[in-house]
Amino acid sequence: MLRRSAAPTVLPLAARLLECADDCVRLKAAHLLAMLAPDSGPYADRLAALLDDPGTDEISWIEGTVGDFARWALVRLGDPRCLPGLVESLWAPYREQFGRSWVAGDPRRPEIHEVLASLREHADVLLPALLEEVRQDHERHGDHGEIMGTLLDVAEEWGPDALPVLPVILPLLKDTRYSLRVVDVLLAMGPGAASTAPAVRDAVVLDHPGNHGRIAWAAWRIAGGDDGTALRLLGEAVHDEQASPYGPVLLLSDFGPAAAAHAGRVRELMENAEYGKATAAVALWRITGDPGPTLSVLEQVVVRFTGDDDRYGALAEALRGFLRIGTVTPSARRALRLVEARDLRLSNYRDYRAVLDDQELRATIAAVLALP
């Protein structure tokens, strides 16, 4: 979890231990192979042989079975042998209001949406099973529970491929517990969800002013044809000294030059904000068309990571900014090569998420280093 260089040494050992008679050992070995995918690809057949292994860890009380972790490993490897019964096995522990607990850093089952997110190409197989679990859960408990939250997370990841869930999630626009999450899903679905714009406009929470601009922006993004309401509301929010400008600035950037009246305020935020500097910098570029000030700020964010800065979210934000502009500064390039050379995982987590974060961030760094 902590050092990338350890993987080549521990992978063969973990593969041999998949045949150990001790359930606890097999479980931890399968977890390790899952976590270190795709490097564990050569052991896919051994993992597939464990899909029905019921072994559990009755010493450390790590949740899940050997088969659960073997299935997750095949998911991470993109092996279709993981698909039969996947949704049912992921949801089984939750059917009776299962509560989770674990020790930070210990092996544990991943969240359901983390497992399913990468399986978009199999949406036609997995969505019916997921929708059936939603139906049964609602039938048993009479409300929308954890599985509905999972459905929304997965649908947002799958975007247009999740359009079959529209009839199930649209009624949730009237439920303030879910409405903004549903809006995120509709945005991810793209043009196929254009007909939902009127329902999105009606989802505004009247006694929550901060919600108004986001809803107006979302309706505009989904269907277009805005009458200026979204731009006006977001502009007012950006200038509000009492509220956080982070969210409104992020949305305002979508209007480009049409938001020129707010460029001064966005520049002020870029220069003075402790958090969200990269977001404000990219917004300023989108509004003014001048990449110079933005590239300077993004460079500062990246260079900080050659020291002891560990705000990986800010680093990822800056990297996305370079990708949007389509170029990277020489100083940022040098800094990224230093960050890329680190053996430590690029993550604040100390469980399987450290590896997932590290893989994603390093892929983004590689994409930025490939820019002119």
Side-chain angles (χ1 to χ4, degrees):
M1 289 185 294
L2 301 182
R3 296 192 177 276
R4 297 167 60 243
S5 60
T9 302
V10 300
L11 274 172
L13 171 62
R16 289 197 299 273
L17 293 176
L18 289 176
E19 300 173 4
C20 180
D22 189 315
D23 291 349
C24 305
V25 173
R26 291 200 313 283
L27 185 148
K28 291 182 178 180
H31 172 271
L32 187 60
L33 289 168
M35 191 171 64
L36 295 179
D39 293 339
S40 51
Y43 311 111
D45 288 344
R46 298 193 205 180
L47 289 161
L50 298 175
L51 284 174
D52 297 320
D53 189 325
T56 57
D57 183 343
E58 296 183 0
I59 297 175
S60 304
W61 295 106
I62 295 169
E63 62 180 14
T65 66
V66 175
D68 292 333
F69 286 105
R71 191 181 300 274
W72 178 39
L74 293 179
V75 169
R76 298 258 295 135
L77 292 172
D79 190 312
R81 286 176 288 186
C82 70
L83 294 175
L86 174 61
V87 171
E88 294 84 348
S89 68
L90 289 171
W91 181 243
Y94 298 88
R95 288 198 181 99
E96 300 303 326
Q97 304 297 319
F98 175 71
R100 307 183 72 189
S101 63
W102 57 81
V103 176
D106 275 2
R108 67 178 179 91
R109 285 171 58 127
E111 304 299 328
I112 298 175
H113 68 273
E114 291 173 327
V115 178
L116 296 179
S118 65
L119 298 174
R120 177 174 177 171
E121 63 185 284
H122 302 291
D124 58 331
V125 173
L126 297 172
L127 269 184
L130 192 52
L131 288 170
E132 177 59 19
E133 294 293 349
V134 169
R135 186 194 67 77
Q136 291 186 22
D137 188 66
H138 188 265
E139 190 175 86
R140 280 193 296 268
H141 304 296
D143 196 5
H144 301 294
E146 183 74 22
I147 189 67
M148 179 58 78
T150 296
L151 176 65
L152 293 174
D153 288 337
V154 172
E156 185 177 2
E157 289 284 348
W158 289 355
D161 291 306
L163 280 168
V165 310
L166 267 180
V168 175
I169 67 172
L170 269 181
L172 298 182
L173 283 172
K174 298 177 181 179
D175 187 333
T176 54
R177 295 173 300 173
Y178 295 98
S179 56
L180 288 180
R181 290 291 297 112
V182 174
V183 167
D184 289 338
V185 174
L186 298 177
L187 287 164
M189 287 178 173
S195 63
T196 66
V200 169
R201 291 190 186 94
D202 291 342
V204 67
V205 182
L206 296 178
D207 60 355
H208 181 29
N211 168 275
H212 299 184
R214 178 172 176 77
I215 289 293
W217 165 84
W220 165 67
R221 282 289 307 273
I222 289 171
D226 181 65
D227 59 1
T229 301
L231 179 56
R232 175 179 59 79
L233 291 172
L234 291 172
E236 292 172 356
V238 165
H239 288 274
D240 186 351
E241 300 284 351
Q242 306 302 315
S244 170
Y246 180 84
V249 166
L250 181 65
L251 306 182
L252 191 66
S253 66
D254 281 350
F255 291 90
H262 309 293
R265 173 60 173 161
V266 173
R267 185 184 298 274
E268 177 187 346
L269 293 169
M270 179 189 75
E271 294 171 348
N272 300 315
E274 183 176 357
Y275 301 103
K277 290 180 75 72
T279 294
V282 172
L284 185 65
W285 163 67
R286 293 288 304 277
I287 292 170
T288 66
D290 178 8
T294 297
L295 290 172
S296 177
V297 169
L298 299 181
E299 177 185 283
Q300 292 170 24
V301 173
V302 169
V303 168
R304 282 204 307 266
F305 275 81
T306 58
D308 59 359
D309 196 321
D310 65 352
R311 290 178 292 180
Y312 294 103
L315 176 60
E317 199 173 31
L319 295 176
R320 290 192 294 268
F322 282 125
L323 290 174
R324 292 187 74 175
I325 294 173
T327 190
V328 61
T329 66
S331 293
R333 189 185 298 276
R334 288 192 294 271
L336 286 175
R337 293 209 179 278
L338 291 174
V339 174
E340 187 182 44
R342 291 179 183 171
D343 190 25
L344 290 175
R345 297 289 182 184
L346 303 179
S347 174
N348 293 122
Y349 291 114
R350 290 297 178 262
D351 55 25
Y352 69 89
R353 292 170 295 180
V355 179
L356 272 60
D357 283 357
D358 184 69
Q359 290 176 343
E360 182 177 358
L361 199 51
R362 288 182 183 278
T364 308
I365 288 174
V368 170
L369 290 175
L371 293 173

